[in-house]
Amino acid sequence: MNLTYDIAIVGAGIAGSALACSLATSVKDKPLRIALIEAQTICDTLPICDEGINDFDARVSALTVGSQQFFESIDLWSYIVGQRVSGFDKMTVWDAEGTGHIEFDAADVRASQLGHIVENRVTVGALHQRIKTLSGVDIFSQQAVAELHLANTASRSNLSSLSLADGRSLEAQLIIAADGANSPLRKMAGLPIREWSYQQSAIVCVVETSQGHEATAWQRFTEHGPLAFLPLSLSQSDKHFCSIVWSQTDIENDLAMAMDDHQFLQALGRAFEYRLGEITDVSKRRSFPLHQRHAIDYVKPNFALVADAAHAIHPLAGQGINLGLADVKALSEVIVAGHERGQMLGDIGLLKRYQRQRKADNLAMMAAVEGLKRLFQPLPLPFRWARNMGMNIFHDQSQLKNKVIKHAMGIDR
Ligand SMILES: Cc1cc2nc3c(=O)[nH]c(=O)nc-3n(C[C@H](O)[C@H](O)[C@H](O)COP(=O)(O)OP(=O)(O)OC[C@H]3O[C@@H](n4cnc5c(N)ncnc54)[C@H](O)[C@@H]3O)c2cc1C
């Protein structure tokens, strides 16, 4: 097998797979040869059996309307909808330390949904099913990249190379790291990042509640961190399920992870003020330490970072993979335009165009999320009072609120 490619994408999570899919869909005349390399086993069958709480993937993403439109443009959305999605048309946010609350409604911006909650397993499975229908993408499953050699300049006679776990070597004009927040490739390429710990961790799991979720995404800001209940649905069941993301200080997180299920359900019900009645069941819990990371540069000759490999943020605004998909769309457009002009794909001028398009937007969202997190840290009484008043005033400012909704939905970018 000839292992020479135009592009090698490392990491077949949502971002890497979406990039392969977008590139293979968008180039019409001179198809690109793409290698998609993944350390884990790639699975394109979706074992959804609608049996109950443990049938869901605890890792879910709130996909914005902007991400949905991008998926529609690469003929993917129908694969996702054919599996399992939960649309939500309202979002309710409130302050545990007072009366402050904000409600967002899709109808206020003449939309039918604010977004969709989709299990990560469903998105990745759908992407791999779609990729199977496209030509030009070779998949390397269970092949962790062990070494990277980048050519100094972009030239057809001097390609960059990767070593796979089984000892094979692969060459490409352009290597793209979509290998997640800890990105081994970013380290191998020597691209530095700014990083700090939020000193919080997030528990994710699925819970059953006695009352329905009302197609609403719920978020309560507590003194230890935000707690989100995201609506899920099973097609053949009248049970009520939500995916939760419970971000807390590391100490509180460790205590909650050590509880048995009964204790956990009690603690979670109290923390959520029983908004959806009693919480009656819980799936296996997983905990993730939360860090903010941002690469100083996303690109160097013959190499680019995309999505979490370039930036990772707190999940409180549900924006992580939505920013990543906006990167994917921008990078794909830049590469396709360069390819059609006959440019070398690793050309630094070409790649910098992508960095210019995305860095400011990512930075702005990171700053907004950081600001929100700080606003809800434990504060003295007068500040808490001002915060609650500010939330209620914001709730009544329909023009400003609609601007914020549209930005969060990814439809003003
Ligand atoms: C608790 C929590 C809740 C979240 N909720 C939301 C949300 O509601 N909305 C939202 O938009 N975002 C959310 N996010 C963020 C979102 O999950 C991430 O942005 C997204 O998963 C990143 O996707 P990715 O494809 O960039 O990376 P990943 O999903 O990390 O995929 C990277 C892939 O690269 C592979 N890989 C790694 N190293 C190698 C190697 N050496 N060789 C080959 N392959 C390799 C890995 O196996 C993996 O499959 C949340 C994050 C957390 C932690």
Side-chain angles (χ1 to χ4, degrees), residues 94-354:
W94 74 103
D95 189 343
E97 306 287 313
T99 57
H101 87 290
I102 305 172
E103 277 168 27
F104 299 98
D105 190 330
D108 291 343
V109 289
R110 294 195 178 86
S112 56
Q113 308 283 354
L114 289 176
H116 289 83
I117 306 301
V118 189
E119 294 153 75
N120 288 7
R121 181 183 71 180
V122 168
T123 308
V124 172
L127 278 160
H128 288 241
Q129 283 188 336
R130 172 81 179 109
I131 288 170
K132 274 208 302 200
T133 68
L134 300 167
S135 55
V137 185
D138 287 344
I139 292 186
F140 296 80
S141 182
Q142 293 181 300
Q143 293 292 339
V145 169
E147 272 179 62
L148 165 73
H149 295 286
L150 286 178
N152 289 333
T153 53
S155 120
R156 282 190 175 82
S157 57
N158 186 16
L159 299 175
S160 298
S161 66
L162 294 170
S163 310
L164 304 182
D166 64 5
R168 281 181 294 170
S169 210
L170 184 153
E171 288 187 322
Q173 282 186 49
L174 172 61
I175 292 177
I176 299 171
D179 52 347
N182 285 316
S183 182
L185 268 279
R186 182 184 63 218
K187 290 169 199 150
M188 291 177 203
L191 282 178
I193 53 165
R194 294 204 175 88
E195 169 177 20
W196 67 89
S197 165
Y198 287 116
Q199 293 177 333
Q200 287 185 348
S201 295
I203 296 176
V204 297
C205 58
V206 176
V207 296
E208 186 180 343
T209 55
S210 61
Q211 293 171 20
H213 48 56
E214 301 166 23
T216 300
W218 307 81
Q219 182 137 263
R220 179 179 188 246
F221 282 91
T222 78
E223 60 175 325
H224 300 299
L227 167 61
F229 272 55
L230 307 171
L232 293 175
S233 29
L234 283 177
S235 55
Q236 293 164 6
S237 167
D238 52 7
K239 292 183 173 179
H240 310 300
F241 293 110
C242 285
S243 163
I244 70 145
V245 183
W246 194 0
S247 309
Q248 302 186 87
T249 54
D250 290 332
I251 295 172
E252 298 296 322
N253 178 81
D254 291 349
L255 288 173
M257 283 301 285
M259 290 174 188
D260 64 29
D261 282 357
H262 178 71
Q263 292 167 328
F264 182 78
L265 290 176
Q266 298 294 316
L268 183 63
R270 279 194 302 277
F272 193 57
E273 297 174 355
Y274 302 99
R275 277 284 176 116
L276 299 177
E278 293 292 325
I279 304 173
T280 54
D281 200 2
V282 59
S283 70
K284 191 171 177 307
R285 284 165 259 162
R286 289 176 67 191
S287 168
F288 296 88
L290 300 177
H291 294 265
Q292 185 184 100
R293 297 187 176 94
H294 198 198
I296 292 164
D297 279 307
Y298 296 3
V299 298
K300 64 192 290 187
N302 309 310
F303 185 80
L305 301 171
V306 79
D308 271 29
H311 46 77
I313 57 171
H314 197 289
L316 70 86
Q319 287 291 332
I321 195 57
N322 294 295
L323 293 180
L325 290 170
D327 291 356
V328 165
K329 180 170 180 286
L331 182 55
S332 173
E333 285 168 0
V334 161
I335 291 172
V336 170
H339 180 61
E340 280 167 2
R341 284 193 301 267
Q343 243 175 308
M344 283 298 296
L345 303 180
D347 181 273
I348 190 65
L350 186 73
L351 298 176
K352 279 202 167 157
R353 214 168 293 158
Y354 151 67

